[in-house]
């Protein structure tokens, strides 16, 4: 049962629709929705389809079942592997984070309970984070002798700043939803049990925005890099593309 290969995507990551918003729920309650190999593949399949092959979907809410978001990697799966095989294990999380960060549709995390390890990485890969005040966040990787992964070395500093990200990862400090909001790790802290309903409100607001502009912004933010020159290059590429799709008047350009 550790790998849950026999469990379908509909069981692991059920999808429900609320108008133009799709809600994905990580469902592995016996391990607090751990980021198992099967969960990774199911999430990648879901996000890839919604981002690129579902025109009715305009925004996505990501949450977890049974009062938890995601407890991180499934320790029951972790074992020594040759370097080549170990690298292959991380290809799916790499593709998942790339799809979440650069994909055309905004993602809102709705966090109840724990978001530890790779669960926190998933939170940081989302565009907006709604957290229950009693939710718990921890970059717990070093506690089990692992390097922070699933994109968090890139995403966490962009949420909270490099110094605070380094502190959170080195000390593996556990913080609640209120502290997460104060740090900028969460955008909104809400009463326990209200994360999904509030996340849906945010997602519907995103869904009402011009889809092409949102897609360009997400991709630009994901690809802009750290240098002004690279950011300006990406800005020009995307702005030119948007002007071709929806030309604006000379007055609006000025």
């Amino acid at each position: 049962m550790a790998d849950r290969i026999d469990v379908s995507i509909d069981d692991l990551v059920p999808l429900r629709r609320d108008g133009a918003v799709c809600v994905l729920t990580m469902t592995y309650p016996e391990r607090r929705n751990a980021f198992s190999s099967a969960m990774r593949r199911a999430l990648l399949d879901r996000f890839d389809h919604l981002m690129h092959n579902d025109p009715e979907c305009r925004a996505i809410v990501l949450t977890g079942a049974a009062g938890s978001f995601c407890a991180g990697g499934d320790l029951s799966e972790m074992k020594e592997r040759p370097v080549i095989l170990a690298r292959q294990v991380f290809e799916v999380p790499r593709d998942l984070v790339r799809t979440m960060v650069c994909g055309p549709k905004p993602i809102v995390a709705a966090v109840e309970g724990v978001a530890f390890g790779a669960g926190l990485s998933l939170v940081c890969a989302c565009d907006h984070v709604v957290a229950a005040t009693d939710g718990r966040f921890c970059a717990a990787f070093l506690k089990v002798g692992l390097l922070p992964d699933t994109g968090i070395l890139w995403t966490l500093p962009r949420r909270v700043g490099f110094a605070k990200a380094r502190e959170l990862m080195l000390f593996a400090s556990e913080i609640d939803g209120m502290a997460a909001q104060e740090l900028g790790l969460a955008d909104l802290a809400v009463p326990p049990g209200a994360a999904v309903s509030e996340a849906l409100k945010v997602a519907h607001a995103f869904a009402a925005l011009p889809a092409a502009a949102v897609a360009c912004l997400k991709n630009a933010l994901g690809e802009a890099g750290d240098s002004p020159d690279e950011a300006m290059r990406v800005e020009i590429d995307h702005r030119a593309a948007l002007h071709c799709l929806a030309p604006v008047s000379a007055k609006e350009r000025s």
Side-chain angles (χ1 to χ4, degrees), residues 76-129:
S76 69
E77 292 183 355
M78 295 182 185
K79 57 187 178 182
E80 291 186 11
R81 297 180 174 91
V83 172
I84 292 177
L85 293 179
R87 290 182 65 88
Q88 292 174 351
V89 167
F90 293 104
E91 289 178 356
V92 171
R94 176 201 64 198
D95 294 343
L96 171 61
V97 171
R98 182 181 293 149
T99 300
M100 293 176 69
V101 169
C102 295
K105 299 168 186 179
I107 306 168
V108 183
V111 182
E112 300 278 356
V114 299
F116 284 4
L120 180 58
S121 301
L122 292 174
V123 168
C124 292
C126 293
D127 301 287
H128 194 92
V129 180

Side-chain angles (χ1 to χ4, degrees), residues 2-32:
D3 195 32
R4 290 175 64 101
I5 292 174
D6 59 324
V7 180
S8 73
I9 186 173
D10 291 325
D11 292 323
L12 270 176
V13 187
L15 180 155
R16 73 177 176 91
R17 295 179 184 271
D18 190 314
V21 175
C22 289
V23 181
L24 299 178
T25 304
M26 293 176 284
T27 306
Y28 189 180
E30 58 267 39
R31 292 194 179 275
R32 293 190 298 179

Side-chain angles (χ1 to χ4, degrees), residues 24-214:
L24 299 178
T25 304
M26 293 176 284
T27 306
Y28 189 180
E30 58 267 39
R31 292 194 179 275
R32 293 190 298 179
N33 310 321
F35 195 58
S36 65
S37 58
M39 181 68 76
R40 295 194 290 267
R41 289 191 295 269
L43 284 169
L44 176 57
D45 288 347
R46 284 294 199 206
F47 276 113
D48 185 62
H49 178 78
L50 291 176
M51 289 290 186
H52 305 296
N53 297 297
D54 191 330
E56 294 182 2
C57 173
R58 296 285 296 272
I60 302 164
V61 171
L62 177 64
T63 191
S68 288
F69 186 77
C70 174
D74 190 346
L75 296 179
S76 69
E77 292 183 355
M78 295 182 185
K79 57 187 178 182
E80 291 186 11
R81 297 180 174 91
V83 172
I84 292 177
L85 293 179
R87 290 182 65 88
Q88 292 174 351
V89 167
F90 293 104
E91 289 178 356
V92 171
R94 176 201 64 198
D95 294 343
L96 171 61
V97 171
R98 182 181 293 149
T99 300
M100 293 176 69
V101 169
C102 295
K105 299 168 186 179
I107 306 168
V108 183
V111 182
E112 300 278 356
V114 299
F116 284 4
L120 180 58
S121 301
L122 292 174
V123 168
C124 292
C126 293
D127 301 287
H128 194 92
V129 180
V130 178
T133 54
D134 64 350
R136 289 151 53 211
F137 300 79
C138 183
F141 303 92
L142 288 189
K143 286 185 175 181
V144 292
L146 298 174
L147 179 74
D149 59 35
T150 314
I152 199 169
L153 293 173
W154 190 87
T155 56
L156 183 58
R158 281 159 176 77
R159 273 208 156 262
V160 303
F162 184 83
K164 182 55 67 174
R166 178 170 55 191
E167 177 186 326
L168 289 172
M169 289 188 278
L170 277 174
F171 290 102
S173 308
E174 184 177 322
I175 61 174
D176 64 18
M178 287 299 297
Q181 183 186 43
E182 291 171 3
L183 287 177
L185 179 56
D187 299 289
L188 178 65
V190 298
V196 172
S197 60
E198 291 300 320
L200 276 169
K201 294 177 185 178
V202 175
H204 278 291
F206 284 151
L209 296 172
V214 170

